[in-house]
Amino acid sequence: GYFYYRPSGGAPGSPPKIGDIRVGFSFVAEGRVTVMGLQVESAKDQTRDTFLPYRLVERGWCGLTQSQEKQALRAEAEKSLDELRTESRYNDRSCLFCCACDLVSGAFASFATPQILHLWDGSIGARDCIETISERSRRFTWLIRLAGWLVMFAGFFCFFKPLIGLVGEIPGVGPSLAKLGCWLIWFLCGVSTLGVSGLVVAIAYLAYHPCIALGFAGLVSLGCAFLLFVPEFLRF
């Protein structure tokens, strides 16, 4: 539960009001645990060493010495979420197209910070810890992808829906496509979503996993080639 301090002098047990101070405590029970994070020495005003989040740091072309790497890792680990969100934003405010990227980058820096700081009950090996973290990361990645695909599908649906009346005017295949009605809209939305999302994934993987990027690019190319042959098939 929480402890409340009411400067206004409310009666004990009364509902909290604006201006009240709420305090909560959390602790780790005594026992054997496994921690994976950045182990650092205690600060000047503390008596025990502690753990901080392990976050990525820039190492430059020539890398960092061991002492420089320790200082950089600790400085990055001690940053607050507000500082991380501020640093993740784009500095060029003249480009209006960066607004969406700015919002997404700031949201991920606050709510899905890329860091390692995990705790398990009992004694667990390092390999098992890494596998657990990787599995959680994969699940979260696919949830984000599915949410993005749903939003993209809804956007394409809003774009293609008003154009259903113009489909019948297409020479040759127009009358055949007009008979499909809403099924045509769903098909166009699905194909467009898969194509654009596949292209985005390919670009994202290009720097780190070129083979996966080429695979997604190949699938998108096959999908585009299939769409080019659909009118010929319907005309036949």
Side-chain angles (χ1 to χ4, degrees):
Y2 294 97
F3 296 89
Y4 291 90
Y5 171 72
R6 296 180 171 87
S8 58
S14 61
K17 300 179 180 179
I18 297 177
D20 293 348
I21 300 175
R22 187 178 69 175
V23 180
F25 298 91
S26 61
F27 67 96
V28 178
E30 182 180 359
R32 186 181 295 275
V33 296
T34 301
V35 181
M36 178 165 285
L38 179 65
Q39 186 175 3
V40 297
E41 297 180 352
S42 61
K44 295 181 180 179
D45 55 344
Q46 298 176 353
T47 58
R48 294 185 178 182
D49 297 343
T50 185
F51 292 94
L52 294 175
Y54 182 90
R55 297 167 179 165
L56 298 177
V57 296
E58 295 183 2
R59 289 175 168 82
W61 291 96
C62 300
L64 299 174
T65 62
Q66 187 175 6
S67 60
Q68 291 175 342
E69 183 179 3
K70 289 181 179 181
Q71 294 177 0
L73 288 173
R74 179 156 190 168
E76 188 70 20
E78 292 178 343
K79 292 180 180 179
S80 63
L81 294 180
D82 292 335
E83 292 175 338
L84 294 175
R85 182 172 60 251
T86 302
E87 292 180 356
S88 66
R89 293 180 176 177
Y90 294 90
N91 296 325
D92 187 8
R93 300 297 180 180
S94 61
C95 182
L96 297 178
F97 296 101
C98 294
C99 293
C101 298
D102 191 13
L103 292 175
V104 173
S105 180
F108 273 90
S110 301
F111 303 105
T113 308
Q115 62 184 18
I116 296 178
L117 183 61
H118 298 271
L119 178 68
W120 294 270
D121 291 329
S123 180
I124 303 177
R127 183 181 296 275
D128 295 334
C129 294
I130 294 297
E131 292 179 354
T132 303
I133 296 173
S134 300
E135 182 62 26
R136 293 176 183 175
S137 178
R138 283 192 294 267
R139 288 199 300 264
F140 180 75
T141 300
W142 278 106
L143 287 175
I144 295 298
R145 286 176 179 173
L146 290 175
W149 292 344
L150 290 176
V151 172
M152 188 179 298
F153 186 90
F156 278 118
F157 183 83
C158 295
F159 176 77
F160 286 119
K161 185 63 176 178
L163 302 179
I164 188 64
L166 302 178
V167 174
E169 304 299 330
I170 300 177
V173 298
S176 301
L177 295 176
K179 295 179 181 179
L180 299 177
C182 294
W183 291 104
L184 177 62
I185 298 298
W186 287 93
F187 175 77
L188 291 176
C189 293
V191 172
S192 301
T193 300
L194 291 177
V196 175
S197 60
L199 184 61
V200 171
V201 172
I203 295 174
Y205 273 123
L206 189 60
Y208 302 99
H209 300 283
C211 294
I212 299 179
L214 292 176
F216 276 100
L219 291 176
V220 173
S221 301
L222 290 176
C224 294
F226 173 77
L227 291 178
L228 292 177
F229 286 103
V230 167
E232 298 294 334
F233 176 77
L234 293 177
R235 184 178 301 177
F236 177 76

